[in-house]
Amino acid sequence: MTAAWVSGSTRARALLSRGLGPRRARRLAACDSCAEAVAVLARSSYGHDVRPGQRLADAQWAVLATLLWHLRVLAGWLPREGGEMMRLIARWFEIANVDELMCRLSGRPAEPEFVLGSLATTWPRLRGCRSLTEIRATLTASPWGDPGGAARREIQLGMRLSWAERLAATLPPAARGWVAGATALLVARERHAERRELPAGTGERSWALLGPDALAAASVADMTARLPSSARWALLEIDDPSGLWTAERRWWRRVEDDGRALLAGSAFSAGPVLGAVAVLAADARRVRAALELAARGGGDDVLL
């Protein structure tokens, strides 16, 4: 234990007050309009980026931008190895930035980029890419590695699987089930909901995380039976691709519950820091869902 881990763990626990929590999220979801919900949210800790008058998509983006800001602040309190863990976790935002970059390259509307600062892995170089081929080459020469192809879908899947592979090898054991479960959901959506085979270039990473038997499954139920126990929990009782959304809710519930368990420990280490990140990420997801419900006239069903 070092003084930096003590400071970082203390800061991580303090950051929990920056979330909205289930009860306040339900009240947000019950607002009669998106404008009302955004105005309420702008007066909360999410007001770091949420502003009154924002459209739904802009406010949902701002919720994630606020989460990223919390991660950047927290990283500044951690020792070097903690900062590296936060940079790895923040690769989700780099993936999102590349998704939007590819939209702009194809002439489609795109959301603003997330400001990663010191948590960037390769984004400063990726930002200047002018083609999908250039994006692939830049990724290949970086810690991301070759995504396996230069098509948009190959880059998207390759980055996500690269991230999952690195998380599984780096995060504390308590979080590895999260990674395996999320990978199972990703592959199940691709193969059984979208009915698309995984690109050849992503095969090895998928095998490493889920095993080759699961990738050969003919259905979601068959895939579940073939998964290792670390990933099987995410798809249990899902017999049809239409039920994958409930599996995603289950995944988030486990992540949040596990995160709170990590925070309940007395250690000053990576555990409470990772727990705080998990709880804050789950809160941001819930708040984004609440905004969407308010935009539809109010309700709280998906938050239960």
Side-chain angles (χ1 to χ4, degrees):
M1 180 178 70
T2 65
W5 273 120
V6 172
S7 298
S9 299
T10 302
R11 181 71 181 186
R13 290 184 171 96
L15 272 176
L16 292 185
S17 64
R18 310 301 290 173
L20 216 60
R23 184 176 301 177
R24 293 172 66 194
R26 287 187 175 93
R27 290 203 294 267
L28 188 73
C31 290
D32 293 333
S33 67
C34 180
E36 180 187 350
V38 169
V40 169
L41 192 59
R43 296 194 294 270
S44 74
S45 59
Y46 284 101
H48 184 276
D49 290 277
V50 176
R51 301 287 183 269
Q54 285 178 327
R55 298 179 300 111
L56 173 61
D58 295 332
Q60 289 180 316
W61 177 91
V63 167
L64 294 177
T66 299
L67 171 62
L68 175 57
W69 172 250
H70 292 328
L71 300 189
R72 292 179 62 186
V73 169
L74 181 55
W77 288 82
L78 297 173
R80 181 182 58 81
E81 60 269 29
E84 291 173 353
M85 182 180 75
M86 296 299 290
R87 187 175 298 108
L88 177 60
I89 291 170
R91 285 192 188 184
W92 184 93
F93 293 94
E94 193 153 293
I95 290 172
N97 278 351
V98 172
D99 285 347
E100 298 307 313
L101 172 61
M102 290 191 288
C103 283
R104 287 191 289 273
L105 290 176
S106 66
R108 288 177 292 182
E111 293 182 345
E113 72 174 67
F114 290 108
V115 180
L116 286 151
S118 63
L119 295 187
T121 298
T122 313
W123 178 241
R125 282 178 284 157
L126 287 164
R127 180 194 289 118
C129 292
R130 295 293 177 264
S131 69
L132 299 186
T133 300
E134 192 174 349
I135 290 174
R136 181 188 184 184
T138 302
L139 289 170
T140 300
S142 79
W144 286 99
D146 187 358
R152 182 182 181 190
R153 179 168 169 262
E154 290 173 324
I155 291 172
Q156 288 177 322
L157 286 174
M159 290 187 75
R160 284 159 173 80
L161 290 168
S162 170
W163 183 47
E165 187 176 42
R166 185 62 179 158
L167 286 170
T170 305
L171 291 184
R176 291 173 191 168
W178 307 348
V179 179
T183 304
L185 282 167
L186 173 64
V187 172
R189 280 194 296 267
E190 284 293 316
R191 293 200 67 245
H192 303 297
E194 301 296 333
R195 298 187 179 279
R196 300 186 299 194
E197 290 301 321
L198 296 177
T202 65
E204 288 187 9
R205 285 173 173 153
S206 304
W207 296 341
L209 292 162
L210 302 179
D213 287 347
L215 299 184
S219 67
V220 174
D222 186 26
M223 178 179 172
T224 302
R226 299 183 185 206
L227 285 169
S229 58
S230 59
R232 189 180 305 126
W233 65 272
L235 295 181
L236 286 175
E237 300 177 0
I238 305 298
D239 298 320
D240 185 87
S242 63
L244 288 174
W245 70 276
T246 63
E248 183 176 349
R249 289 175 61 189
R250 176 197 296 153
W251 187 88
W252 277 106
R253 282 197 300 269
R254 171 166 169 174
V255 168
E256 186 168 18
D257 290 345
D258 287 357
R260 293 194 183 281
L262 288 169
L263 282 159
S266 59
F268 294 102
S269 64
V273 173
L274 186 60
V277 171
V279 173
L280 287 170
D283 192 78
R285 173 189 176 272
R286 187 161 42 233
V287 168
R288 282 163 53 88
L291 287 171
E292 186 161 347
L293 284 170
R296 297 177 182 177
D300 67 358
D301 289 347
V302 303
L303 304 175
L304 298 176

